[in-house]
């Protein structure tokens, strides 16, 4: 088939600007073929090359004694002792999910699971962080249904428990929802597999499902803004098959026991192109592929289509040739394709053959190392203006307004569509704080959480970035876990706008400071830029996924509040209402500064909670909605009322950071007070649990009435 002539319009459609095209001409000394243009487009787009973010990603702390593998591989790896490690990563599938919600979310789930098991780990937990537009927007309801069903449909069939996550709504996501997927797995520390190819003349093997035309150009689409041509992008969304992925995982894990795998890489964004180039580049080798041998499920596929297809459930590996028969037998047993499609070569070449013709012949290292890197212009986000006074409000009315908001109402309609107990190791599922999964066959357990407050990041990117990490730290601490490490999913608008790039830079400065202070290095992650539609960007949303460890399940703080328990507040309260949930969900305002994050206090207070866990029956951190919402959530989960001593709006609804609410008996409260005095930790009794009502100062309401509002608010609006 004759390839199209390359024109300026075709170059632009591939997401390449004129300067980048000139750079291609300089590198190869001639005009590229259409297939070669597609390959450059795939490797140089924002989604694959991180060309706008690399400079700032390098500033993040990524090392520590617990880190086995930091950023740059399919996922990060952290030591959990006893020769075991946890493998985890978070990644976005935003654009595909807005275009085709079910398949976009489903294949996002599939992709993150492959990132984990391609390193030799068996997935044990999943989470998701979802951001949607206003409830009344015409697309929101269908997006919520499609995305939730896609995540559940894929994860449930694959067989991994979803143990946590978050769902938010804001007008800034009307034209661009966010779907951030997290997965974690377990691996023996001496059985980890990496993607760097090694050895010359070794077979390059295609594994898994057949290649089709779905997803062609998906990575390039994910690196561009949306406009009124959005429906034309639907063919760039992949189609997933979780049952095939399950077989692929079992086949890969079995294959890894044979000694056949030299290196292995999943085919995600940009499919065969990105996987082959990354394997070759990391190993300092070239790759030759013959596309005649690629398993195909559609007729007359071109070299361009095969190289850029993002068909799901596929892997690429470099094979130990002595083990070919054994390896092939494994994949035949699992009814999956196993095809030798090329070999490693000593020359720095990416040579693509199809139908006895050379379709591409490029210097492989240049596709990766010579990708553009931009130092984008940026401007610091202006300091927030002084906040207008907040009107007084009956505290029960304020609490009811929060409970009725889909941002704070119980999300059981969402997580009940996910299998949270498959594999039978879930100790704590979604609903209140971090999820916990037992490390099978040991006394250990792992805790998982994902957090960010986009309102804070927009108002003050540095403090908002800090706060996302700090809240993840507190959520892990509140269940008794020692925080280990983090993964980030950095969702922002168009980086070519200096104010958007300023948000990105500020957030990374805050994140970097927080992970360093709290000893939670970033070991993996994903950058998703150009989240804009018709020039309107999302709220800056740098989601933090975090993992913590418990030496045994006896360390878990997972009791309930009982009649007569004291409500103990740990941390300083000044009554910060800027950018608070009360302002947004009750008064329809977004003003004031984000709350300040004192990282030294966060560390001190978190260490105090974990050191004194024996005196704590129930614990939660304070975040959105402040003390009032935290106290209600503890009471509702325990089936018992609560009375707080105060009724002023700032104390009840302020969102000062570094705080925890504890429920415990009188004797334990006394012990906590003594321990806090020794540790220099602010602590105070703020009320008691008991009865069947929620009392905020002199205002009161039946717990059952508030619980019905809390449990029914989300489903009533979206279910």
């Amino acid at each position: 088939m004759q390839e199209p002539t390359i024109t300026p319009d075709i170059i632009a459609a591939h997401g390449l600007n004129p300067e980048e095209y000139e750079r291609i001409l300089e590198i190869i000394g001639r005009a590229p073929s259409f297939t070669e243009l597609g390959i450059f487009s795939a490797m140089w787009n924002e989604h694959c090359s991180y060309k706008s973010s690399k400079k700032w990603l390098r500033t993040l702390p990524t090392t520590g004694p617990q880190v086995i593998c930091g950023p740059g591989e399919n996922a990060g790896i952290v030591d959990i002792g006893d020769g075991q490690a946890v493998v985890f990563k978070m990644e976005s599938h935003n654009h595909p999910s807005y275009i085709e919600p079910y398949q976009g979310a489903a294949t996002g789930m599939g992709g993150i699971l492959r990132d984990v098991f391609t390193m030799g780990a068996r997935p044990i937990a999943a989470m998701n962080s979802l951001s949607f537009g206003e409830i009344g927007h015409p697309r929101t309801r269908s997006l919520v249904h499609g995305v939730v069903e896609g995540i559940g449909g894929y994860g449930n069939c694959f067989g991994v428990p979803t143990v946590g996550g978050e769902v938010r709504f804001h007008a800034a996501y009307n034209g661009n929802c966010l779907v951030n997927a997290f997965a974690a797995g377990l691996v023996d520390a001496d059985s980890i597999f990496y993607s760097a190819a090694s050895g010359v003349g070794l077979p390059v093997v295609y594994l898994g499902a057949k290649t089709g035309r779905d997803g062609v150009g998906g990575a390039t689409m994910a690196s561009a803004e949306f406009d009124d041509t959005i429906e034309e992008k639907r063919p760039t969304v992949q189609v997933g098959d979780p049952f095939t992925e399950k077989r692929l995982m079992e086949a890969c894990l079995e294959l890894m026991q044979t000694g056949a795998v030299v290196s292995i890489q999943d085919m995600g964004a940009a499919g065969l192109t990105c996987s082959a180039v990354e394997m070759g580049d990391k190993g300092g080798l070239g790759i030759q592929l013959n596309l005649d041998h690629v398993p195909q499920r559609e007729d007359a596929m071109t070299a361009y289509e095969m190289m850029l297809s993002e068909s799901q459930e596929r892997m690429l590996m470099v094979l130990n040739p002595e083990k070919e028969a054994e390896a092939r037998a494994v994949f035949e047993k699992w009814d999956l394709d196993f095809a030798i499609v090329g070999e490693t070569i000593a020359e720095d070449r990416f040579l693509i053959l199809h139908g006895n013709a050379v379709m591409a012949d490029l210097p492989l290292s240049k596709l990766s190392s010579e990708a553009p890197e931009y130092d984008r212009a940026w401007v610091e986000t202006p300091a927030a203006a002084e906040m207008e006074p907040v009107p007084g409000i009956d505290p029960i009315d304020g609490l009811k307004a929060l409970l009725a908001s889909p941002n704070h109402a119980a999300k059981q309609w969402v997580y009940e569509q996910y299998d949270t107990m498959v594999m039978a190791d879930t100790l704590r599922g979604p609903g209140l704080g971090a999820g916990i999964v037992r490390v099978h066959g040991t006394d250990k357990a792992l805790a998982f959480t994902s957090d960010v407050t986009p309102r804070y990041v927009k108002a003050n990117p540095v403090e908002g970035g800090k706060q996302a990490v700090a809240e993840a730290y507190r959520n892990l601490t509140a269940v008794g876990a020692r925080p280990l490490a983090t993964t980030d999913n950095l969702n922002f608008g168009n980086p070519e706008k200096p104010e958007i790039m300023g948000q990105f830079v500020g957030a990374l400065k805050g994140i970097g400071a927080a992970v360093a202070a709290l000893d939670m290095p970033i070991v993996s992650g994903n950058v998703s830029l150009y989240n804009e539609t018709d020039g309107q960007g999302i709220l800056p949303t740098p989601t933090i996924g975090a993992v913590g460890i418990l030496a045994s399940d006896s360390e878990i703080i997972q009791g309930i509040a009982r009649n007569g328990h004291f409500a103990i507040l740990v941390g300083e309260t000044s009554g910060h209402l800027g950018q608070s949930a009360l302002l947004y969900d009750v008064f329809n305002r977004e003003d004031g500064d984000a709350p300040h994050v004192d990282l030294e206090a966060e560390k001190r207070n978190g260490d105090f909670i974990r050191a004194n866990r024996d005196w704590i029956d129930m614990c939660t951190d304070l975040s959105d909605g402040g003390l009032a919402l935290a106290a209600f959530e503890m009471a509702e989960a325990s089936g018992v009322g609560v009375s707080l001593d105060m009724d002023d709006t700032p104390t009840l609804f302020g969102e000062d950071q570094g705080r925890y609410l504890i429920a415990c008996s009188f004797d334990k409260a006394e012990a906590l007070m003594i321990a806090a005095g020794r540790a220099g930790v602010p602590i105070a009794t703020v009320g008691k649990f008991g009865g069947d009502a929620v009392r905020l100062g002199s205002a009161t309401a039946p717990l059952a009435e508030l619980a019905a509002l809390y449990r029914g608010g989300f489903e009533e609006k979206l279910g």
Side-chain angles (χ1 to χ4, degrees), residues 505-584:
V505 172
L508 261 70
K509 288 180 177 180
I511 289 168
V515 298
L518 301 175
D519 191 22
M520 298 168 70
I522 299 274
V523 298
S524 60
N526 171 241
V527 179
S528 176
L529 303 177
Y530 295 96
N531 288 290
E532 298 204 2
T533 298
D534 294 326
Q536 296 298 307
I538 60 163
L539 290 181
T541 311
T543 309
I544 298 295
V547 178
I549 189 164
L550 296 123
S552 74
D553 55 16
S554 65
E555 290 190 346
I556 302 173
I557 302 171
Q558 61 175 354
I560 60 172
R562 300 186 183 277
N563 273 308
H565 275 180
F566 283 80
I568 309 290
L569 180 63
V570 171
E572 291 279 5
T573 297
S574 65
H576 183 95
L577 287 171
Q579 299 299 329
S580 65
L582 184 80
L583 273 192
Y584 178 67

Side-chain angles (χ1 to χ4, degrees), residues 459-489:
N460 187 328
V462 176
E463 293 301 322
K466 284 186 200 172
Q467 192 275 338
V469 177
E471 186 174 346
Y473 173 86
R474 292 197 303 272
N475 274 327
L476 295 176
T477 295
V479 299
R482 174 172 60 87
L484 279 177
T486 49
T487 180
D488 58 14
N489 204 150

Side-chain angles (χ1 to χ4, degrees), residues 426-500:
T426 303
L427 299 176
R428 183 183 174 110
L432 187 65
I436 304 176
V437 172
R438 181 189 298 110
V439 178
H440 196 78
T442 76
D443 293 329
K444 298 192 294 278
L446 292 167
F448 305 97
T449 186
S450 70
D451 298 283
V452 66
T453 308
R455 297 186 312 275
Y456 294 171
V457 186
K458 184 178 181 184
N460 187 328
V462 176
E463 293 301 322
K466 284 186 200 172
Q467 192 275 338
V469 177
E471 186 174 346
Y473 173 86
R474 292 197 303 272
N475 274 327
L476 295 176
T477 295
V479 299
R482 174 172 60 87
L484 279 177
T486 49
T487 180
D488 58 14
N489 204 150
L490 306 172
N491 309 273
F492 290 81
N494 185 343
E496 296 167 48
K497 297 178 179 178
E499 65 275 15
I500 300 296

Side-chain angles (χ1 to χ4, degrees), residues 667-682:
D667 290 346
K668 291 179 178 178
E670 199 170 39
L672 281 172
M673 295 287 181
I674 294 168
R678 290 174 180 155
V681 170

